[in-house]
């Protein structure tokens, strides 16, 4: 009975969501023992329920992700992959799990070329069988649940199974995503039936959606084990869908052996000092952690606290640090099993100090930043010139009552990934995160396609510790390449400016990913609030700095823009926790 009330309350909450004009700046949520922040209220509530039932942060992370696969399928799910950063309170150890998708063994540097030797157009590649990598999420659940979970997978997956069977109300943001992808979703019979009405329009917000196929997959995982996803009928459905492909761009080369052989890699996180803290995040194949530590390490040379968040010098320094970090990222970072990534050199404090000397307080050099030469770097390849990609992803931050911390970002890449639904879940298009161009044989691009390789990511799941090793902040966001700047800006806001997690999430973003164009986010009133926004961004309008920043050499498009972030932030405070969820999405902080 209780859960029907919860469902009804969630549906009422969604329909009562205020119109854009009535949005307010959101304020922080505080709890005493435990907290879950995700981009969807049903998912946060599922995580909080598992914590209440005796689960720990790992169990809650699984519960949240399983629900997000239902309620935010445009962003994340079991057909995709990602990274989990985990702090284990008992052993005081921080570790990371790499659940990134892999390319099929048969793929090579020309995987995104057509039969005539022409490189595929990006969207053709996204919707083709080529883009689909071997999914990592379910294997992640198996690995972390076995190693650190307190409850069986049955407990963690129950909320999602119930919602899939009983149905949930489509949220405004999900409805808007369905509407913008309706043409491509219509190309897939399963996706068409599930997401669209019979006249081809997208199902509206508030529509009750049931997903028995997804419930069955989760039940199979509970009763026969997660390997069922990689070996049984589900694996056959994935391979069948990807390889029997009438679409432009051609079929994928994924085989049952690729799925059966998929492995999670536990990796040492990358960590570095920032002010009085130690910041840890995900190392390669994500570029997120290295770039975040470089940006912070460069900014450590600037007294940001004295300048404050709204000073043009703060924004100028941040944009330059972002740019310098992206120059290194584009040259050096890829899957470390395939390419010698100079990770230690890239986050070496002395190297970062030499990069910091390139900051100017006056006008910029007219050219873009070039990569530096970190210590012990081998022969460099060719820089990846692919344009930054921005798609669909979701970040989850959790602190449990034992002090364990999860910072997890999982993605299907573009909105609805590959735009095909198999057994109730969306397939990813993660392989389009590779460089389509392999580069010259003499100096190949580090992030070129290779069989079994993981594409470079920008995901930046972060945990910030005090110098004596206590968790202080948890952060992360979706947003493709902009994840790095968005997450780092939130860390700076909390560490340097003392903003609480919600104030940090409310801030307008500013970014330069070492391209000619700089993005300064508009406040909603002039940019138009995206569907599903649950609060205003601001209060400071960073676009008021455009004249001064233009004089400093930044080229800023006149058209208003909103970045697709989805920050989920937690701050550990004396006696409890404070949480903030990105007002650009529907998320909430839940807990007790
Ligand atoms: N596929 C992207 C990455 O791993 C994330 C996509 C997004 O957040 O939009 O970096």
């Amino acid at each position: 009975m209780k859960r029907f009330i919860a469902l009804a309350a969630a549906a009422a909450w969604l329909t009562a969501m205020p119109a854009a004009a009535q949005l307010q700046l959101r304020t922080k949520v505080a709890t005493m023992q435990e907290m879950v922040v995700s981009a969807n209220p049903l998912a946060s509530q599922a995580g909080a329920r598992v914590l209440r039932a005796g689960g720990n942060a790992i169990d809650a992370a699984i519960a949240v992700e399983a629900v997000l696969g239902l309620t935010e399928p445009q962003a994340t799910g079991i057909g995709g992959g990602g990274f989990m950063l985990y702090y284990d309170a008992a052993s005081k150890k921080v570790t990371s799990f790499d659940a990134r998708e892999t390319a099929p063994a048969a793929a090579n540097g020309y995987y995104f070329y057509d039969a005539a030797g022409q490189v595929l157009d990006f969207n053709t590649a996204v919707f083709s069988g080529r883009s689909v990598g071997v999914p990592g999420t379910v294997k992640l659940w198996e690995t972390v649940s076995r190693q650190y979970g307190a409850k069986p997978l049955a407990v963690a997956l129950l909320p999602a199974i119930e919602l899939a069977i009983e149905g949930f109300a489509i949220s405004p943001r999900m409805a808007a995503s369905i509407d913008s992808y309706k043409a491509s979703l219509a190309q897939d019979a399963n996706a068409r039936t599930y997401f669209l009405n019979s006249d081809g329009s997208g199902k509206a917000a508030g529509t009750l959606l049931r997903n028995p196929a997804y419930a069955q997959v989760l039940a199979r995982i509970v009763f026969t084990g997660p390997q069922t996803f990689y070996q049984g009928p589900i694996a056959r459905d994935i391979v069948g869908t990807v390889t029997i492909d009438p679409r432009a761009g051609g079929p994928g080369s994924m085989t049952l052996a690729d799925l059966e052989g998929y492995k999670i890699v536990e990796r040492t996180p990358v960590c570095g000092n920032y002010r009085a803290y130690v910041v840890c995040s995900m190392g390669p194949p994500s570029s997120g952690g290295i770039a975040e530590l470089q940006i912070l390490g460069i900014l450590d040379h600037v007294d940001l606290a004295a300048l404050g968040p709204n000073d043009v010098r703060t924004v100028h320094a941040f944009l330059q640090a972002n740019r310098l970090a992206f120059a290194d990222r584009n040259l050096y970072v890829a899957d470390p099993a395939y390419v010698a990534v100079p990770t230690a050199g890239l986050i070496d404090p002395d190297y970062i100090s030499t990069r910091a000397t390139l900051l100017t307080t006056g006008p910029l050099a007219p050219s873009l930043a070039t990569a530096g030469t970190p210590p012990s770097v081998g022969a460099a390849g060719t820089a990846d010139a692919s344009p930054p990609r921005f798609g669909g992803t979701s970040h989850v931050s959790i602190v449990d009552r034992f002090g364990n911390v999860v910072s997890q970002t999982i993605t299907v890449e573009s909105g609805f990934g590959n735009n095909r639904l198999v057994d109730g879940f969306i397939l990813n298009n993660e392989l389009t995160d590779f460089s389509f161009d392999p580069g010259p044989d003499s100096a190949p691009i580090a992030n070129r396609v290779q069989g079994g390789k993981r594409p470079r990511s920008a995901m930046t799941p972060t945990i910030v510790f005090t110098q004596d090793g206590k968790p202080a902040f948890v952060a992360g966001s979706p947003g493709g390449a902009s994840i790095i700047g968005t997450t780092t800006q939130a860390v700076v806001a909390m560490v340097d400016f003392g903003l609480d997690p919600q104030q940090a999430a409310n801030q307008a973003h500013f970014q330069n990913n070492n391209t000619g164009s700089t993005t300064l986010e508009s406040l909603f009133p002039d940019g138009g609030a995206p569907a599903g926004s649950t609060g205003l961004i601001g209060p400071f309008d960073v676009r008021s700095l455009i004249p001064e920043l233009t004089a400093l050499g930044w080229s800023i498009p006149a058209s208003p823009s909103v970045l697709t972030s989805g920050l989920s932030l937690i701050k550990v405070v004396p006696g409890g926790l404070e949480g903030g969820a990105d007002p650009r999405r529907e998320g909430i902080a839940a807990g007790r």
Side-chain angles (χ1 to χ4, degrees), residues 159-438:
I161 294 174
E162 284 175 1
L163 273 180
I165 293 172
E166 290 163 9
F168 64 96
I170 294 180
S171 74
R173 185 177 166 84
M174 178 173 165
S177 303
I178 294 174
D179 186 57
S180 51
Y181 284 89
K182 59 180 183 284
S184 44
L185 292 170
Q187 303 303 307
D188 177 72
N190 294 334
R192 186 170 59 231
T193 317
Y194 184 60
F195 294 113
L196 308 183
N197 297 310
S198 48
D199 66 356
S201 61
K203 291 186 179 165
T207 307
L208 189 79
L209 204 55
R210 292 193 173 88
N211 192 336
Y214 184 66
Q216 226 172 57
V217 169
L218 298 183
R220 259 181 189 282
I221 292 171
V222 168
F223 291 115
T224 62
Q227 199 53 28
T228 187
F229 187 89
Y230 293 92
Q231 281 177 342
I234 305 166
R236 285 197 292 277
D237 289 347
I238 296 173
V239 169
T241 306
V242 166
T243 54
I244 305 165
D245 189 333
R247 294 179 171 192
S253 317
M254 194 191 293
T255 63
L256 289 172
D258 288 322
L259 274 152
E260 199 175 331
Y262 182 82
K263 287 193 174 52
I264 298 296
V265 188
E266 185 172 356
R267 300 183 187 277
T268 307
V270 290
C271 298
N273 287 317
Y274 182 59
R275 315 289 185 198
Y277 295 92
V278 179
V279 178
C280 293
S281 184
M282 191 69 216
S286 184
S287 59
I290 291 175
E292 179 180 41
L293 294 180
Q294 286 194 339
I295 297 170
L296 292 173
I298 292 169
L299 292 177
D300 219 356
H301 295 260
V302 183
D303 189 357
L304 293 180
L307 296 175
N310 307 332
D311 192 291
V312 68
R313 289 166 293 181
T314 296
V315 179
H316 187 49
F318 190 91
L319 292 173
Q320 289 178 82
N322 213 88
R323 214 179 184 193
L324 288 163
F326 265 77
D328 278 359
R329 165 199 195 254
N330 292 345
L331 184 61
Y332 295 119
V333 183
D335 183 345
Y338 288 74
V339 176
V341 186
T343 303
L346 288 165
I347 59 171
D348 177 78
D350 293 335
Y351 170 65
I352 294 178
S353 295
T354 63
R355 297 293 276 168
T357 62
L358 301 173
L359 285 186
T360 90
T361 50
L364 289 176
S367 55
L368 298 178
T370 49
T373 310
S376 62
V377 66
T382 300
D384 180 2
S386 313
R389 325 255 202 238
F390 306 97
T393 301
S394 211
H395 182 82
V396 183
S397 293
I398 303 176
V399 178
D400 69 19
R401 65 195 172 287
F402 311 107
N404 301 311
V405 181
V406 166
S407 185
Q408 165 183 282
T409 321
I410 296 184
T411 180
V412 291
E413 214 311 280
S414 295
F416 295 102
N418 183 243
N419 281 245
R420 280 186 283 198
L421 193 74
V422 175
D423 297 332
F425 60 87
I426 283 289
L427 287 180
N428 72 83
N429 68 299
E430 216 69 50
L431 303 190
T432 56
D433 274 358
F434 280 118
S435 167
F436 286 18
D437 173 8

Side-chain angles (χ1 to χ4, degrees), residues 138-151:
V138 174
K139 200 77 180 176
L140 175 70
W141 291 351
E142 177 179 41
T143 309
V144 297
S145 175
R146 193 188 314 122
Q147 237 168 294
Y148 290 111
K151 294 281 173 192

